[in-house]
Amino acid sequence: MTGKQAKHRKLGNSSIEVAPLAFGGNVFGWTVDEATSFSLLDKFVDAGLNLVDTADVYSRWADGNKGGESETVIGKWIRQSGKRDKLVIATKVGKDMGDGKVGLSAAYIRRAVEDSLRRLQTDYIDLYQSHADDRSTPLEETLQTYGELVQQGKVRLIGASNYGVDRLDQARKISLEHGYPLYQTLQPEYNLYSRADYENNLEQYCLKEGIGVINYYSLASGFLSGKYRSEKDLGKSTRGGKTQNYLNPRGLRILAALDAVAGRYASTPASVALAWLIARPGITAPIASATSLEQMDALIAATQLSLDDDAIRQLDQASAP
């Protein structure tokens, strides 16, 4: 059935509540221009959604960029719209920004957070995430620094991205021992195609400790939207090449199941793939990006789509790792 948006969920064990889908800001400053970015953010917020995920390094990979472009676009939109209070902003630190700006040392985090706050044109970041594990910096140093930022009111919560259970658990023990903030969220790769690593290695731990999961690649770089069904489709977008690995019997079986469920619900494969994630225990808000208002409609529709047990079983079976 379709209808009202699914209830807001808490980020981990915190009091911050988010709608059950996050807008991925990796497209800002890359595949969408500023005016389109503003329209997408307006539509997202006007639909009652509130979690936007970005990173300082987005979108450094595009020609002519140096990093910080995504945060800058969001900051300009906040200034123009006056809707800072409608957003829960999640950004990240730690990936290589060039000129030695990388990692999770105390000195670098203190510098990077000021840069992010300036670009985002805000006094605080709702969710500040370690973008990747930095084994060259002691976890104690990183977590203590985050504690300082929380005390200063610059950061509300912290999260981790691309961490394994061993390091997550080490960090948790250190935080509990010293009174540092706990990682409240985890960003792993997870979608109908890429299931095994998360389900076998991370899911139970996150459920046990109440860590909120805001997974990335929720649509497998667009493959689960049904846009890429053969080799000739790969040139349809900038990200098309990434989907080549999904074009195999299992991938096509998943698309067939998405088509069938979408037909039954008068929906789209993208909305169904996201609704499957939203229904998964432990998932707080899958992250998905959009480059057009039509794609944004599919994201919004996913939060209003409640799949029945038969639909979930059909998708589970078709995508079984």
Side-chain angles (χ1 to χ4, degrees):
M1 58 173 235
T2 57
K4 222 169 137 187
Q5 187 190 99
K7 284 183 185 168
H8 282 210
R9 296 147 180 213
K10 288 190 163 115
L11 284 175
N13 292 304
S14 80
S15 60
I16 298 179
E17 295 194 346
V18 295
L21 186 126
F23 184 13
N26 59 316
V27 293
F28 302 144
W30 177 32
T31 50
V32 288
D33 59 26
E34 191 173 284
T36 306
S37 300
F38 286 12
S39 299
L40 289 165
L41 284 163
D42 282 331
K43 185 156 200 166
F44 181 78
V45 168
D46 291 347
L49 304 176
N50 64 343
L51 179 57
V52 173
D53 178 77
T54 184
D56 55 5
V57 76
Y58 296 170
S59 39
R60 185 173 178 241
W61 53 81
D63 285 347
N65 284 2
K66 59 183 190 234
E69 289 79 13
S70 173
E71 290 181 332
T72 299
V73 168
I74 294 167
K76 286 183 179 176
W77 177 82
I78 287 170
R79 186 185 62 196
Q80 178 182 295
S81 68
K83 293 177 180 173
R84 173 64 183 95
D85 62 333
K86 305 270 191 193
L87 273 197
V88 173
I89 296 176
T91 193
K92 308 182 202 76
V93 60
K95 285 284 182 84
D96 192 352
M97 290 281 283
D99 300 322
K101 296 187 286 186
V102 64
L104 298 173
S105 69
Y108 179 55
I109 289 173
R110 289 184 192 121
R111 176 183 175 185
V113 75
E114 298 300 335
D115 290 342
S116 287
L117 288 167
R118 177 177 43 77
R119 287 189 292 257
L120 289 163
Q121 301 196 42
T122 183
D123 297 328
Y124 65 95
I125 291 162
D126 296 289
L127 177 63
Y128 202 37
Q129 303 159 99
S130 299
H131 204 157
D133 191 3
D134 174 12
R135 289 179 179 264
S136 66
T137 300
L139 287 166
E140 289 89 343
E141 179 179 336
T142 300
L143 294 163
Q144 181 178 12
T145 309
Y146 286 146
E148 292 169 9
L149 298 181
V150 170
Q151 286 177 337
Q152 292 163 6
K154 293 174 180 177
V155 168
R156 296 177 72 192
L157 301 177
I158 62 166
S161 177
N162 302 303
Y163 273 54
V165 165
D166 59 334
R167 295 284 282 175
L168 262 185
D169 196 51
Q170 280 178 45
R172 180 176 184 79
K173 285 171 179 160
I174 289 165
S175 290
L176 289 170
E177 182 183 346
H178 296 282
Y180 301 148
L182 291 161
Y183 281 135
Q184 295 291 353
T185 59
L186 176 69
Q187 270 200 44
E189 177 178 351
Y190 185 50
N191 56 57
L192 262 171
Y193 189 97
S194 303
R195 292 180 57 185
D197 186 45
Y198 169 72
E199 290 180 18
N200 294 337
N201 300 319
L202 293 160
E203 185 175 46
Q204 289 309 309
Y205 182 81
C206 290
L207 283 167
K208 178 170 73 83
E209 302 298 352
I211 295 170
V213 175
I214 48 176
N215 52 297
Y216 64 87
Y217 285 170
S218 298
L219 291 174
S221 299
F223 175 74
L224 298 173
S225 71
K227 184 160 61 171
Y228 311 101
R229 294 173 183 267
S230 68
E231 296 274 343
K232 69 177 188 297
D233 293 331
L234 298 179
K236 284 185 177 179
S237 81
T238 314
R239 302 171 77 187
K242 286 188 176 178
T243 65
Q244 185 157 13
N245 294 336
Y246 304 125
L247 284 172
N248 55 46
R250 179 168 169 260
L252 296 174
R253 192 167 68 240
I254 292 168
L255 288 186
L258 285 169
D259 288 340
V261 174
R264 187 149 69 82
Y265 282 90
S267 187
T268 64
S271 297
V272 170
L274 293 170
W276 178 84
L277 285 166
I278 290 168
R280 187 89 190 174
I283 299 292
T284 304
I287 302 166
S289 53
T291 56
S292 67
L293 294 176
E294 183 185 19
Q295 288 180 6
M296 180 57 75
D297 285 334
L299 305 196
I300 294 165
T303 69
Q304 301 163 347
L305 180 59
S306 180
L307 300 177
D308 63 24
D309 291 343
D310 285 344
I312 289 172
R313 195 176 305 114
Q314 186 173 359
L315 294 166
D316 283 349
Q317 289 171 353
S319 63

